[in-house]
């Protein structure tokens, strides 16, 4: 069995989430972790990633717009896939799940020029060295009247959504009996200038 604890507190303009996970099994446990905070978006919002991210791996892309699982596309300019860092309108043309990493810098951000504000997420890269990105412009779910228009930043332990894939890649966590893992997610609100300053824009 796995026990997980999350503690939340405010630190100025930041929401800090501290996680602690412990294996209570008598045998080694294999697992992966991926956060899934969905952010509301509007046309013109911009996704910011560390400069080290030059390409991303496709986990899934509606209509194979960016290719098939395992393909690599350039970030942010994905050729015929367009500029992935700019959020377009909810036109039903995009539903992409992508992974970046392993990362040397654990952060990502979304800025909203219309409000001159943004939100930054920092995370513990020694535990969560990958970043999943979900970018959806009303192309998912494929059936149903309500479509999703959102971006999700997903700090992750592995660059895939499947535990079986993570085990094959050697990126799955293997916890010995009684072993613990800890990590922190920090969401910070700031002005556009404050957040873009990290990227030297």
């Amino acid at each position: 069995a796995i026990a997980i604890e999350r503690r939340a507190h405010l630190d100025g303009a930041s929401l800090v989430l501290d996680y602690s996970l412990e294996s209570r099994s008598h045998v080694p446990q294999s697992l992966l972790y991926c956060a899934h905070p969905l952010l509301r978006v509007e046309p013109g919002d911009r996704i910011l990633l560390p400069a080290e991210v030059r390409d991303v791996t496709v986990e899934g892309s509606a209509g194979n717009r960016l290719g098939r699982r395992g393909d690599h596309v350039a970030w942010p300019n994905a050729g015929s896939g367009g500029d992935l860092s700019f959020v377009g309108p909810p036109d039903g043309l995009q539903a992409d799940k992508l992974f970046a990493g392993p990362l040397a810098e654990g952060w990502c951000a979304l800025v909203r020029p219309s409000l001159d504000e943004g939100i930054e997420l920092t995370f513990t890269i020694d535990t969560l060295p990958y970043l999943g990105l979900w970018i959806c412009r009303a192309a998912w779910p494929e059936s149903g009247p309500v479509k999703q228009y959102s971006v999700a930043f997903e700090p992750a332990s592995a660059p895939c959504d499947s535990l079986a894939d993570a085990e094959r890649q050697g990126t799955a966590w293997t916890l010995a009996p009684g072993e613990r893992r800890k990590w922190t997610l920090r969401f910070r609100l700031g002005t556009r200038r404050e957040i873009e300053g990290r990227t030297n824009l």
Side-chain angles (χ1 to χ4, degrees):
I2 298 292
I4 187 166
E5 180 182 83
R6 181 180 69 186
R7 294 180 177 271
H9 69 273
L10 296 176
D11 179 16
S14 297
L15 170 65
V16 183
L17 302 177
D18 292 311
Y19 291 81
S20 177
L21 180 148
E22 180 183 7
S23 173
R24 295 181 178 174
S25 174
H26 298 293
V27 296
Q29 295 289 300
S30 180
L31 69 153
L32 58 78
Y33 170 85
C34 183
H36 189 61
L38 286 170
L39 303 176
R40 283 187 172 183
V41 291
E42 65 177 38
D45 287 356
R46 187 173 182 196
I47 298 166
L48 305 180
L49 300 182
E52 65 180 294
V53 179
R54 302 292 179 85
D55 62 68
V56 290
T57 304
V58 176
E59 177 72 8
S61 183
N64 295 323
R65 190 181 77 92
L66 296 179
R68 299 183 180 276
R69 179 182 294 176
D71 288 346
H72 294 266
V73 295
W75 177 274
N77 296 306
S80 61
D83 188 341
L84 300 175
S85 70
F86 282 92
V87 178
D91 51 17
L93 298 179
Q94 183 180 18
D96 299 326
K97 177 62 185 288
L98 312 167
F99 279 98
L103 300 173
E105 296 183 69
W107 69 269
C108 51
L110 183 81
V111 294
R112 178 159 297 169
S114 67
L115 296 178
D116 203 33
E117 294 178 345
I119 185 168
E120 178 189 72
L121 169 59
T122 56
F123 49 96
T124 310
I125 58 168
D126 58 348
T127 308
L128 306 175
Y130 299 94
L131 176 66
L133 287 170
W134 169 242
I135 309 170
C136 185
R137 293 176 14 224
W140 187 90
E142 293 178 355
S143 60
V146 180
K147 304 294 186 181
Q148 194 178 102
Y149 185 41
S150 62
V151 165
F153 293 128
E154 305 185 0
S157 59
C160 51
D161 287 337
S162 162
L163 178 57
D165 288 345
E167 289 175 336
R168 281 192 290 270
Q169 296 172 356
T171 56
W173 285 349
T174 301
L175 269 67
E179 185 178 352
R180 286 178 174 266
R181 296 284 172 99
K182 295 183 178 182
W183 65 93
T184 297
L185 305 179
R186 176 183 287 263
F187 296 87
R188 180 177 69 92
L189 298 176
T191 66
R192 181 181 177 184
R193 173 178 289 185
E194 289 172 339
I195 292 175
E196 287 185 342
R198 181 192 276 277
T199 63
N200 298 315
L201 293 176

